Amino acid sequence: TQLLEQSPQFLSIQEGENLTVYCNSSSVFSSLQWYRQEPGEGPVLLVTVVTGGEVKKLKRLTFQFGDARKDSSLHITAAQPGDTGLYLCAGARGGSNYKLTFGKGTLLTVNP
Amino acid sequence: NAGVTQTPKFQVLKTGQSMTLQCAQDMNHEYMSWYRQDPGMGLRLIHYSVGAGITDQGEVPNGYNVSRSTTEDFPLRLLSAAPSQTSVYFCASWDTGASSYNSPLHFGNGTRLTVT
């Protein structure tokens, strides 16, 4: 059962454009993490959001956790080719990463 | 600091063969886990361990065995490989002693397994 739905699955944009990736669930999570994965490597954590309504910024990346802690979004401003990669959201329950549930991922390609 | 090391990077097996995917971490993390990543399916948890001598099943455990005799190592065994086990396998560890909410899973670089 896929508890976390990510959209879109694929996204190809031009350098300088803005984009938003969504991560939705019918379940409540204690925290939600966003990872980025590059070809041939394992995922690397970008950010963790914990509080409903929380907004975190990482340079040109803005992450938001929904008020009900069931959904999250990742917004990238002025995308660059270096942003290319697979973006994964992952939800934790009970305050631990013991059984972290991952979404299917959004494959982003930023063309120069 | 090597982090999480997985070997081999690539492996081809024939149906019915057995093999062990190795995973080692040097961060003294109590928690270790195995995920498989398939196109369109994301990462799915196979088995995990919260410490030496303790293992538990994840979402897709069938066809895989694990053991945890030391804190550092968490091997994944395929006793009789099947084509459905063709996938990329990732090992991950986590510092359970750190703040749960902000500590990440540390992933290895994966083992790409093909079963023919």
Side-chain angles (χ1 to χ4, degrees):
Chain A
T1 303
Q2 190 69 37
L3 298 178
L4 278 171
E5 297 292 337
Q6 276 189 249
S7 61
Q9 189 174 357
F10 301 97
L11 190 55
S12 181
I13 62 172
Q14 294 300 120
E15 182 176 0
E17 292 184 359
N18 301 331
L19 67 112
T20 302
V21 175
Y22 299 93
C23 179
N24 296 302
S25 175
S26 58
S27 302
V28 176
F29 292 99
S30 56
S31 66
L32 201 136
Q33 299 179 343
W34 284 92
Y35 289 80
R36 187 172 89 183
Q37 184 179 16
E38 300 192 18
E41 299 182 4
V44 176
L45 181 71
L46 294 173
V47 79
T48 302
V49 285
V50 177
T51 306
E54 181 177 5
V55 177
K56 281 191 174 179
K57 292 192 175 184
L58 188 65
K59 297 183 180 179
R60 294 175 292 99
L61 279 61
T62 301
F63 304 85
Q64 185 163 7
F65 202 12
D67 290 341
R69 291 186 288 128
K70 292 182 179 181
D71 55 87
S72 181
S73 64
L74 158 60
H75 182 79
I76 300 179
T77 303
Q80 298 177 0
D83 295 326
T84 294
L86 179 68
Y87 290 82
L88 296 157
C89 65
R93 293 179 168 175
S96 80
N97 288 342
Y98 288 158
K99 290 187 176 183
L100 206 61
T101 300
F102 282 84
K104 294 180 181 181
T106 295
L107 186 58
L108 171 65
T109 303
V110 182
N111 302 297
Chain B
N1 197 346
V4 179
T5 303
Q6 290 185 239
T7 55
K9 293 182 73 68
F10 302 94
Q11 182 70 51
V12 179
L13 291 178
K14 293 184 177 180
T15 298
Q17 287 184 319
S18 63
M19 80 157 297
T20 299
L21 279 64
Q22 301 292 344
C23 176
Q25 53 94 7
D26 61 0
M27 297 173 284
N28 202 33
H29 288 173
E30 290 295 326
Y31 175 90
M32 296 184 74
S33 58
W34 278 100
Y35 285 85
R36 60 177 289 173
Q37 186 173 36
D38 302 292
M41 296 297 294
L43 284 159
R44 292 182 293 169
L45 182 64
I46 304 172
H47 285 286
Y48 67 98
S49 168
V50 299
I54 306 169
T55 63
D56 206 347
Q57 296 181 348
E59 180 186 356
V60 288
N62 292 339
Y64 308 95
N65 283 344
V66 292
S67 61
R68 184 92 180 273
S69 56
T70 67
T71 300
E72 294 78 18
D73 300 299
F74 191 42
L76 179 71
R77 280 182 288 275
L78 285 71
L79 296 179
S80 180
S84 61
Q85 294 179 303
T86 293
S87 186
V88 181
Y89 291 86
F90 287 97
C91 179
S93 71
W94 176 48
D95 182 6
T96 56
S99 167
S100 298
Y101 290 126
N102 288 308
S103 61
L105 285 181
H106 295 266
F107 285 88
N109 284 333
T111 294
R112 184 175 294 274
L113 175 68
T114 302
V115 183
T116 61

